[in-house]
Amino acid sequence: MDVLALGRRERVAWARAVRRYAVPRWMIERATERRLAGDWRGACAAAGVDVAFDPAEAANRHGTEFAAALEDDLLHLAPDLVRWHLPRGEPTHTTIAPGQRILLSWPGDSTDAERPLLVVRTPRWAVLGSQRLTLGLDRPADPGRGRYATHPTIDRPHAAFWRGVTHAWTTSRHLWDARKAPELRERIGGNGERAPFLNPDGTPRAVADPPATDQGSHDPVAFTEWVVQTYERGDVVEALAAAGVDARFPMGWLPEGRRGWGDPPLRLPLDPTRIGPETRRLAEAGHEPRFWIPFDDRTVVRVSLDGTDRVRLRLGSHDSLSPWGVLLPEACWQRSPDLDLLRDGGASPDELHPLVREALAPGAPDPTGPVGPPEPDPPAPVRIRCQGTWHEMAFADGELRDSHGRREDREAAPGDLGEHGAGCLAVREAWSTGRGWLPEPWVAQRQGLFQRIQHGDTPGVLRLLDAGLDPRVRDDLGRTPLHLLSRVDHEEVLPRLLAAGLDVEARDDEGRTPLFTAVAEYGSWRLVEDLVEAGARYDVVCAIDGRRSSLPVLIYRMGRTDLLLLSTRIVKEYPELGRV
């Protein structure tokens, strides 16, 4: 299943998980505090964004006008809002698409073609890697025309994994500039009072089934609602035509008996009313008026403006892209996931980013509490059928406890484990191994813990540990929290995990230790050293990309020049490992 192929119901569930974990509330609050104080570097640090340039050096090279424009952009940059709107990666996952470049602005005098672009780069690692971003300055590939590298490479059979593409947000400042954030409502078809499908306070609006024909566009919000509903019921070409988009596809493309494009759930979560205006904005800003939308691992949808300024959609092969056009950013053609969440009751306005809440719910009453994604839920006890009776199991002081002694539990006969093998012992084993049946609330607890680790939510992880959650748990790949320390502030989390008794030599399903994983996934040299200090063996040989490798060879293969001293140390003690 591809994110592009998700039906609305599935997409809402996916969006709910993204919004719950990807940008935690504390990150928004800290980044906002620093931004309002004029500390853009502090805002970036709070939002997990590394700054890879020196503004003073850039000013010396490109002059005072460029420096003033760059400073203005940086002071109003909301890095937490950038993270909120970034394209996501592997289908149904919540992590950022890797290898992407987000073009924010081109500061300075438009006659100076040498001035650099302000960009955000997403992590180079895939879906399971760190979620840290990089803010940098890039020179355009073709300064005279404002062009940039666009031809993608594919390392997964999903369009969201196309690397090497640039998302042009220069005409979408509402995605990153705090001053422009309220424009989101108008960009998705709203007006001064409300967004489509919503009341002014952000609650779902009762919208009647659309009439069979277009009732006119005198009311832009009602028109957007009609077009989107027409698209969602399967009349895709009709909806696009009403929005001024000429969509033509090969005869064999449409499923038998269908008038529309695709078979529900629709292959693309398009908002037909946005494609034309957003494409024209980009073209007017100097981008070549030819774009493409990834469809699957072999096909793209070409988007172009004809001589009458009418938008055309055609299918094409990704092999023929270069030099044909540039990527049309998701934010310019997809339905807003936040709008979908509110429309389907998947979230309340107070659970959204405050700037997004302001845009989508302008009439909402002043909040009575914090605004933003909810904090972690403390682990709740559950009742388990065990040995013919009901036992209560709960987390307390970092341990999984039940209502009878651990020794009795361990010695229980397999036949006494209760329904579905879900006795206390089976539940304990499932928690610690990542395999087997768990009560549904604890499946959510395990998922929540690993999601927060994955997204670098150190305060959220510590809050769960403080609530008594047992960290002796594995995910569906057999990894322990020690394997994922490169995602969080390990100086805070590692001591807690070691005190809880986690094994620094634990192997995941691929046979990798936490130390090997830290090296392979570009964990910091300090994390590597701290794991070694904690007793992690460095004479291990593990598999990566189907090849067995020692740490010295892995350090060389990964270009980890920051770990050369460790590599030398290992080879000196174990000379044979320098060749494995």
Side-chain angles (χ1 to χ4, degrees):
M1 179 180 289
D2 192 323
V3 166
L4 299 178
L6 292 177
R8 200 176 91 212
R9 183 176 301 174
E10 291 83 358
R11 189 167 186 262
V12 165
W14 167 79
R16 184 186 301 115
V18 172
R19 294 309 186 224
R20 182 176 180 86
Y21 299 113
V23 192
R25 182 190 298 167
W26 63 263
M27 178 183 288
I28 297 172
E29 292 173 346
R30 294 181 189 177
T32 301
E33 177 189 10
R34 298 321 308 155
R35 172 174 56 81
L36 294 178
D39 178 12
W40 65 269
R41 286 186 180 274
C44 286
V49 180
D50 300 318
V51 179
F53 66 95
D54 181 356
E57 179 181 338
N60 290 336
R61 179 174 300 178
H62 299 284
T64 57
E65 184 172 348
F66 169 82
L70 176 62
E71 181 182 14
D72 184 67
D73 283 344
L74 294 174
L75 288 174
H76 297 96
L77 170 67
D80 49 309
L81 189 63
V82 173
R83 183 177 290 276
W84 186 270
H85 288 300
L86 282 176
R88 300 288 143 182
E90 182 112 351
T92 72
H93 281 73
T94 61
T95 45
I96 297 167
Q100 314 289 298
R101 187 172 68 149
I102 314 299
L103 172 55
L104 302 182
S105 70
W106 203 2
D109 183 359
S110 61
T111 62
D112 179 12
E114 295 297 322
R115 70 195 192 283
L117 307 159
L118 181 64
V119 302
V120 167
R121 299 186 193 91
T122 67
R124 57 180 171 178
W125 200 252
V127 66
L128 299 178
S130 169
Q131 297 295 282
R132 293 196 68 83
L133 306 171
T134 303
L135 181 69
L137 293 176
D138 282 1
R139 297 186 66 179
D142 182 354
R145 299 181 63 191
R147 292 287 301 279
Y148 39 83
T150 62
H151 193 55
T153 58
I154 302 176
D155 66 351
R156 291 287 191 282
H158 303 289
F161 263 82
W162 290 21
R163 293 175 176 267
V165 295
T166 294
H167 301 252
W169 285 9
T170 51
T171 60
S172 301
R173 294 183 75 101
H174 60 284
L175 303 177
W176 63 271
D177 187 328
R179 296 168 297 183
K180 303 294 184 179
E183 293 181 6
L184 172 65
R185 182 172 63 256
E186 177 267 332
R187 298 291 279 267
I188 61 175
N191 58 23
E193 296 181 358
R194 67 179 186 90
F197 302 103
L198 302 179
N199 293 310
D201 64 355
T203 56
R205 182 182 179 89
V207 179
D209 291 336
T213 58
D214 177 11
Q215 300 299 296
S217 55
H218 58 278
D219 181 347
V221 185
F223 177 71
T224 298
E225 293 169 346
W226 177 82
V227 170
V228 171
Q229 286 183 295
T230 301
Y231 182 87
E232 290 176 343
R233 75 185 180 196
D235 295 326
V236 178
V237 175
E238 178 185 349
L240 289 166
V245 179
D246 176 21
R248 298 180 186 177
F249 305 103
M251 286 293 294
W253 176 255
L254 299 180
E256 184 177 356
R258 291 283 177 184
R259 291 182 295 154
W261 168 28
D263 193 12
L266 300 174
R267 292 299 307 274
L268 293 174
L270 280 172
D271 183 342
T273 63
R274 302 186 63 201
I275 299 175
E278 297 291 359
T279 302
R280 282 186 280 274
R281 283 189 180 96
L282 286 166
E284 292 168 0
H287 299 285
E288 184 176 337
R290 298 190 298 175
F291 305 87
W292 53 270
I293 297 172
F295 188 79
D296 58 26
D297 58 332
R298 297 180 302 276
T299 312
V300 299
V301 177
R302 292 182 172 183
V303 184
S304 60
L305 293 171
D306 61 22
T308 63
D309 206 29
R310 184 177 176 85
V311 177
R312 300 173 56 190
L313 298 188
R314 301 291 186 270
L315 287 179
S317 168
H318 75 78
D319 294 330
S320 62
L321 280 181
S322 185
W324 200 97
V326 296
L327 173 74
L328 185 63
E330 290 180 2
C332 293
W333 60 265
Q334 277 197 13
R335 296 194 311 268
S336 164
D338 299 303
L339 179 61
D340 279 353
L341 275 176
L342 296 181
R343 175 186 174 190
D344 283 44
S348 71
D350 288 350
E351 294 178 288
L352 301 180
H353 190 292
L355 294 175
V356 176
R357 177 188 185 274
E358 178 185 351
L360 298 185
D366 292 338
T368 57
V371 173
E375 299 287 353
D377 295 323
V382 297
R383 285 169 54 82
I384 303 295
R385 182 74 173 174
C386 181
Q387 300 182 28
T389 60
W390 288 97
H391 291 172
E392 183 175 272
M393 300 190 74
F395 294 103
D397 299 326
E399 293 184 350
L400 180 54
R401 299 177 179 177
D402 49 51
S403 55
H404 57 100
R406 285 188 175 181
R407 179 175 180 178
E408 177 187 349
D409 194 15
R410 289 196 300 269
E411 295 176 354
D416 293 332
L417 291 178
E419 297 177 3
H420 310 295
C424 296
L425 177 60
V427 171
R428 192 185 300 280
E429 288 294 315
W431 181 262
S432 61
T433 64
R435 297 180 178 85
W437 181 86
L438 278 175
E440 190 61 32
W442 287 2
V443 172
Q445 286 287 351
R446 179 173 63 187
Q447 178 187 20
L449 173 64
F450 281 106
Q451 284 274 18
R452 293 188 184 279
I453 293 175
Q454 178 64 67
H455 287 285
D457 185 2
T458 300
V461 172
L462 295 177
R463 181 166 178 168
L464 285 171
L465 296 180
D466 290 340
L469 190 70
D470 188 345
R472 291 178 288 269
V473 61
R474 291 179 183 254
D475 66 6
D476 54 1
L477 298 178
R479 300 175 303 177
T480 72
L482 286 174
H483 286 87
L484 305 177
L485 282 175
S486 62
R487 281 77 159 163
V488 294
D489 183 351
H490 81 277
E491 293 183 347
E492 292 194 54
V493 178
L494 177 58
R496 297 287 298 271
L497 300 181
L498 295 176
L502 270 69
D503 183 7
V504 292
E505 295 304 317
R507 300 267 181 158
D508 64 14
D509 289 349
E510 298 292 331
R512 301 173 189 166
T513 65
L515 176 60
F516 190 91
T517 303
V519 174
E521 297 188 358
Y522 298 96
S524 69
W525 67 267
R526 189 177 297 278
L527 168 60
V528 171
E529 292 291 338
D530 286 350
L531 284 171
V532 171
E533 183 69 22
R537 295 179 63 98
Y538 47 69
D539 60 341
V540 296
V541 177
C542 303
I544 182 171
D545 296 333
R547 296 169 51 188
R548 290 177 60 77
S549 175
S550 66
L551 279 177
V553 172
L554 178 66
I555 290 170
Y556 173 77
R557 287 176 59 192
M558 305 300 294
R560 296 296 305 267
T561 56
D562 56 331
L563 298 178
L564 290 180
L565 288 178
L566 175 62
S567 178
T568 302
R569 173 181 170 185
I570 297 172
V571 173
K572 184 177 180 179
E573 294 186 32
Y574 305 96
E576 68 279 6
L577 294 182
R579 300 182 296 274
V580 180

